[in-house]
Amino acid sequence: MGGLRLLAVAFTCCWWPPGSQGKTLRGSFSSAAARDAQGQSIGHFEFHGDHALLCVRINDIAVAIGKEAKLYLFQAQEWLKLQESGHGYSCSEKLSKAQLTIAMNQTEHNLTVSQIPYPQMWHVFYADKYTCKEDNENSQVEDIPFEMMLLNPDAEGNPFDHFSAGESGLHEFFFLLVLVYFVIACIYAQSLWQAIKKGGPMHVVLKVLTTALLLQAGSAFANYIHFSSYSKDGIGVPFMGSLAEFFDIASQIQMLYLLLSLCMGWTIVRMKKSQSRPLQWDSTPASTGIAVFIVITQSILLLWEQFEDTSPHSHHSHHNLAGILLIVLRICLALSLGCGLYQIITVERSTLKREFYITFAKGCILWFLCHPGLACISIIFNDYQRDKVITVGVILCQSVSMVILYRLFLSHSLYWEVSSLSSVTLPLTISSGHKSRPHF
């Protein structure tokens, strides 16, 4: 099972998709691409405030003027209406309905997007005089290199903020998160290390849980570095953004392995053994097979989601089929593990053991249900707030879940009662007379 986790993590690292572009865009205006799609899609951005800015720079003015190059800005809702409309608008009719238009006849253009009552998504398209023609007259026309910056007003009202409305506040959030991790590490790192070195029944669990926590801390730190750079140039460090997502996925796999190892040892073995020792972990082919299948399934879905997701900074949001399947998987896992723990709780006579199981169930269910729950709650928020609500909420909920599990496994009064060395009822240990050893 340990080899399985390493394989999944290595697979994720080797096949990781490239980092997404920021809001300083570089590329070329292409007449061929514009004609094929009735307008070349350049990007999209959630503007807000009264002094948002679109700044675009080009070098080849002569080619731009000769092609009558223009940029067209559509509000997302209006563009969606055009796409879904049954009127059958022609290419030129669609472009004429743009809310804002920029004629590319200068080296640098600054367009102020003002009087926005609430944050809105805007789509930017390029088109020229060849876009709506059906012949191949533009096949040899030269492309126009460009650099574009999409900016929102900062706290002082100046257009210097590279973050869209849906990303605002994330930089500060990850700074505070890293600061909290640092303070907690200064306070508890030494005592936690001593607890791990001592061994005992909680040794293996603490090692796996600590590894997952370190991966989450690494993800937060990588995100902070990426957002710090992004706030200055609108590009950031795409590698660090991808590394943050990789650490997050590795943490998800590690926690799934931990919770499955614990809960499956309690539920599956309970059905096959006597009630005198219902919690003893037994690595049967059935339990191992189910654990392997679930871990691989989640790894594949996480990778699939990342390859299909084109939205930057939204790796906790679910906008595609893979994301929906991940939500369904987490709900099924929460229900399955919750039912298994409920069966144990209902027949348990020891108050201390019941308290242990109930606390563990809270941490376990919170970890699995925070994604689906926040995805449902986010519906009541505006479009530009949903991804941010899910991202921040998931990180906080999973942090709370880890705190619950740490308090539980470091509590000798509870944990040693449930899994003492003499009775060997810890699901991650296996008995051999009066000895025990990790079963990883």
Side-chain angles (χ1 to χ4, degrees):
M1 195 63 182
L4 169 67
R5 286 183 294 137
L6 292 175
L7 179 61
V9 170
F11 180 80
T12 303
C13 183
C14 293
W15 293 92
W16 196 250
S20 57
Q21 292 294 323
K23 292 311 171 186
T24 296
L25 307 175
R26 296 185 178 96
S28 297
F29 296 132
S30 170
S31 296
R35 188 192 62 182
D36 293 341
Q38 295 186 349
Q40 180 187 4
S41 178
I42 303 301
H44 54 82
F45 193 70
E46 289 172 327
F47 290 108
H48 67 82
D50 292 332
H51 301 288
L53 182 69
L54 184 152
C55 177
V56 58
R57 300 185 183 95
I58 58 175
N59 295 324
D60 203 335
I61 299 298
V63 175
I65 295 176
K67 295 199 296 183
E68 300 177 9
K70 294 181 180 180
L71 290 179
Y72 296 85
L73 276 72
F74 293 86
Q75 291 181 0
Q77 293 181 349
E78 298 300 323
W79 177 251
L80 185 61
K81 289 178 182 178
L82 285 176
Q83 296 296 97
E84 296 177 350
S85 174
H87 293 84
Y89 292 113
S90 65
C91 171
S92 57
E93 288 175 335
K94 283 185 178 181
L95 295 176
S96 67
K97 294 185 179 295
Q99 280 71 46
L100 296 171
T101 305
I102 305 175
M104 307 296 293
N105 51 18
Q106 299 177 16
T107 302
E108 181 173 332
H109 293 267
N110 294 311
L111 174 66
T112 300
V113 184
S114 59
Q115 297 180 351
I116 303 176
Y118 56 89
Q120 299 179 22
M121 178 72 75
W122 289 72
H123 294 277
V124 183
F125 292 88
Y126 166 81
D128 52 40
K129 67 179 183 180
Y130 304 108
T131 300
C132 297
K133 292 184 178 181
E134 298 182 357
D135 54 32
N136 294 324
E137 182 182 353
N138 66 328
S139 59
Q140 301 298 324
V141 177
E142 185 178 353
D143 293 343
I144 306 173
F146 74 90
E147 178 182 87
M148 180 183 298
M149 288 190 295
L150 302 165
L151 300 166
N152 274 319
D154 57 16
E156 298 178 355
N158 300 315
F160 298 141
D161 187 1
H162 290 277
F163 293 101
S164 70
E167 300 164 341
S168 62
L170 288 178
H171 181 208
E172 293 80 4
F173 169 74
F174 282 111
F175 169 74
L176 292 175
L177 187 62
V178 170
L179 181 62
V180 170
Y181 275 126
F182 176 75
V183 172
I184 291 176
C186 292
I187 297 174
Y188 295 107
Q190 184 175 0
S191 58
L192 179 60
W193 174 247
Q194 289 176 352
I196 293 176
K197 286 178 64 178
K198 285 181 181 178
M202 71 285 287
H203 173 69
V204 177
V205 178
L206 287 178
K207 283 205 311 184
V208 179
L209 187 59
T210 302
T211 301
L213 179 62
L214 290 175
L215 288 169
Q216 280 207 328
S219 175
F221 183 67
N223 265 320
Y224 171 68
I225 294 176
H226 171 60
F227 279 115
S228 295
S229 179
Y230 187 93
S231 65
K232 299 174 183 177
D233 58 15
I235 298 176
V237 186
F239 170 75
M240 296 304 294
S242 295
L243 187 64
E245 296 180 11
F246 163 71
F247 282 154
D248 181 72
I249 286 182
S251 175
Q252 300 290 329
I253 293 173
Q254 193 84 356
M255 282 299 294
L256 178 63
Y257 165 68
L258 171 64
L259 298 178
L260 282 177
S261 297
L262 289 169
C263 295
M264 284 177 53
W266 293 340
T267 55
I268 292 180
V269 178
R270 174 181 171 77
M271 296 184 296
K272 299 172 59 178
K273 294 200 173 184
S274 64
Q275 298 299 318
S276 60
R277 305 179 67 165
L279 303 183
Q280 184 178 344
W281 170 255
D282 185 11
S283 182
T284 63
S287 63
T288 303
I290 294 174
V292 168
F293 174 76
I294 294 176
V295 169
I296 291 179
T297 299
Q298 174 170 282
S299 302
I300 292 174
L301 290 176
L302 287 167
L303 287 172
W304 179 11
E305 182 189 30
Q306 292 302 322
F307 276 110
E308 288 195 354
D309 189 9
T310 58
S311 301
H313 313 149
S314 62
H315 58 278
H316 282 289
S317 304
H318 303 293
H319 301 291
N320 49 45
L321 178 59
I324 295 173
L325 292 176
L326 273 172
I327 289 178
V328 173
L329 176 63
R330 290 185 175 114
I331 293 175
C332 292
L333 286 172
L335 291 175
S336 175
L337 301 181
C339 289
L341 289 170
Y342 177 76
Q343 292 176 3
I344 295 177
I345 292 170
T346 53
V347 299
E348 182 56 58
R349 296 180 180 179
S350 170
T351 303
L352 204 56
K353 289 185 179 181
R354 289 184 62 178
E355 182 182 347
F356 171 84
Y357 296 135
I358 291 172
T359 305
F360 179 81
K362 290 178 181 178
C364 179
I365 292 175
L366 177 61
W367 180 274
F368 285 121
L369 290 187
C370 61
H371 280 82
L374 287 165
C376 294
I377 293 173
S378 67
I379 296 175
I380 67 176
F381 292 89
N382 295 320
D383 289 344
Y384 71 94
Q385 296 174 318
R386 291 175 184 171
D387 286 353
K388 189 160 49 178
V389 167
I390 295 175
T391 298
V392 173
V394 165
I395 292 174
L396 293 179
C397 287
Q398 291 185 343
S399 299
V400 171
S401 175
M402 283 191 166
V403 170
I404 292 174
L405 294 176
Y406 262 117
R407 286 174 59 88
L408 187 65
F409 295 133
L410 289 174
S411 174
H412 285 251
S413 60
L414 278 177
Y415 204 85
W416 282 76
E417 171 69 19
V418 176
S419 180
S420 63
L421 285 174
S422 59
S423 61
V424 195
T425 55
L426 218 200
L428 288 183
T429 59
I430 187 168
S431 62
S432 177
H434 291 284
K435 298 179 180 181
S436 65
R437 63 180 179 87
H439 194 76
F440 265 71

